[in-house]
Amino acid sequence: MSTRLSGRLTRLLNLVPYFTANPGISAAEAARDLGVTPKQIMDDLNQLWVCGLPGYGPGDLIDLSLSEDSIVVTFTAGIDRPLRLTSTEATALLVALRSLLEMPGVVDPSAAQGAIAKIEAAAGSAAADHDAPPAVSDDPVAATVRAAVHRGRALHLTYYSASRDTVSERDVDPIRVVLIDEHTYLQAWCRAAEGVRLFRFDRIDAAAELPEPARPPAAVDDEDSFELFEGDPTLPAARLRIDPGYSWLIDYYPLTEVQLQPDGSCTAVLRFASPEWMTRLVVGLGAGVTVLGPADLVAAVRARAAAALDAYDALAVDEPDPGRVTEL
């Protein structure tokens, strides 16, 4: 969820108790109190009109009597009451919080641990985990990145790129922290690449907050969707044939132009920055992956595979024959 949408959700959830505590207040007065425009207040209230409890019929939805001069909540649908968790709900929430603690950079560990303690205290022994894991200290790099995102500051990163097999220094304008497939990423505008990039937290070797605000392009900052891997057209592309038993590679590598073949195999394209890395990858995968191009990569893979076979042959010559008896 984007920062913009999550901010509106928080505001919507606070409107019902606010207007319940201030019956008859005008949209202009409410806008001044809440730091938004009167139009935004009216738009939010119209959104609340279709929110409520399951069933979503009369008596289930929030009801309002409103005009720009007077706003009154006539039915709150229970949002004015404190949330009370069942033991099952509390346990599920505790499990989720502990899972977040195991993923670097997603949350501030001290805040999550404080929330866990409060939930356990409120829910009682039914939701408490007597075998809870020990306290987790915050990773300094993750804390720096998360603080920069919160403060809206630019960052200088030392980053290991797995696809290029290199470590680089770059200045970035943070946009948000996202969680994808159990990995935490910083989504940011990379000034060197002049594009949006994802930086995996466990590959950020160092991070330093810069004394300047983050200024990602406005259109990028407002975009909620993005691709996890975006091919760099300037990099060379390897065309691969992948056997049916190796289809798991599609989930592990940023393959593009994937085409399924009648025999169950597929062809795909993988861009790479380091020919040595690409050669090692293909040779390590064995007979399940065949390089179709470019020609120089095909030659490099063949040469490396031949060298590996020669090394095995040399070991076989040096090893004694177990069936041969040595006479003394």
Side-chain angles (χ1 to χ4, degrees), residues 23 35 40 58 61 69 82 138 188 197 215 306:
Q40 184 66 67
L61 300 178
D69 296 326
D138 202 1
R197 296 291 184 268
R215 294 192 180 93

Side-chain angles (χ1 to χ4, degrees), residues 117-129:
K118 290 177 181 178
I119 294 170
E120 288 181 340
S125 58
D129 184 354

Side-chain angles (χ1 to χ4, degrees), residues 144-153 174:
T144 299
V145 172
R146 195 172 54 250
V149 173
H150 178 72
R151 288 157 47 85
R153 311 289 290 192

Side-chain angles (χ1 to χ4, degrees), residues 302-315:
R302 286 177 177 170
R304 181 128 186 175
L309 290 174
D310 290 342
Y312 278 114
D313 290 341
L315 287 174

Side-chain angles (χ1 to χ4, degrees), residues 16 23 41 46 48 65 78 86 166 186 246 265 288 312 324:
V16 173
I41 289 290
N46 285 322
L48 280 175
S65 172
T86 66
T166 58
L186 168 68
Y246 287 73
S265 67
Y312 278 114
R324 185 176 63 190

Side-chain angles (χ1 to χ4, degrees), residues 69-252:
D69 296 326
S70 176
I71 300 167
V72 178
V73 178
T74 57
F75 179 64
T76 66
I79 291 183
D80 59 325
R81 297 195 300 270
L83 175 63
R84 295 186 182 277
L85 299 174
T86 66
S87 61
T88 301
E89 291 170 336
T91 300
L93 187 55
L94 289 172
V95 170
L97 284 169
R98 291 187 178 118
S99 297
L100 289 176
L101 280 174
E102 297 175 359
M103 300 175 186
V106 177
V107 296
D108 181 349
S110 61
Q113 289 162 353
I116 288 172
K118 290 177 181 178
I119 294 170
E120 288 181 340
S125 58
D129 184 354
H130 299 291
D131 297 321
V136 178
S137 59
D138 202 1
D139 177 75
V141 172
T144 299
V145 172
R146 195 172 54 250
V149 173
H150 178 72
R151 288 157 47 85
R153 311 289 290 192
L155 282 167
H156 178 80
L157 302 180
T158 302
Y159 187 73
Y160 169 71
S161 174
S163 62
R164 295 175 180 268
D165 196 22
T166 58
V167 176
S168 61
E169 304 274 341
R170 59 184 83 196
D171 292 339
V172 303
D173 297 293
I175 299 173
R176 58 179 65 87
V177 174
V178 295
L179 182 65
I180 303 173
D181 292 337
E182 300 183 358
H183 289 291
T184 312
Y185 293 83
L186 168 68
Q187 186 190 18
W189 176 266
C190 178
R191 297 178 182 178
E194 295 186 348
V196 176
R197 296 291 184 268
L198 289 174
F199 302 96
R200 221 169 88 172
F201 268 54
D202 57 357
R203 293 176 181 167
I204 301 175
D205 293 335
E209 188 175 301
L210 298 176
E212 57 186 276
R215 294 192 180 93
V220 171
D221 192 21
D222 290 338
E223 180 61 44
D224 294 331
S225 63
F226 54 88
E227 295 294 329
L228 178 56
F229 295 105
E230 295 182 358
D232 185 345
T234 64
L235 296 177
R239 181 164 291 278
L240 309 174
R241 180 187 180 278
I242 302 172
D243 286 355
Y246 287 73
S247 59
W248 55 267
L249 291 170
I250 298 173
D251 298 323
Y252 280 79

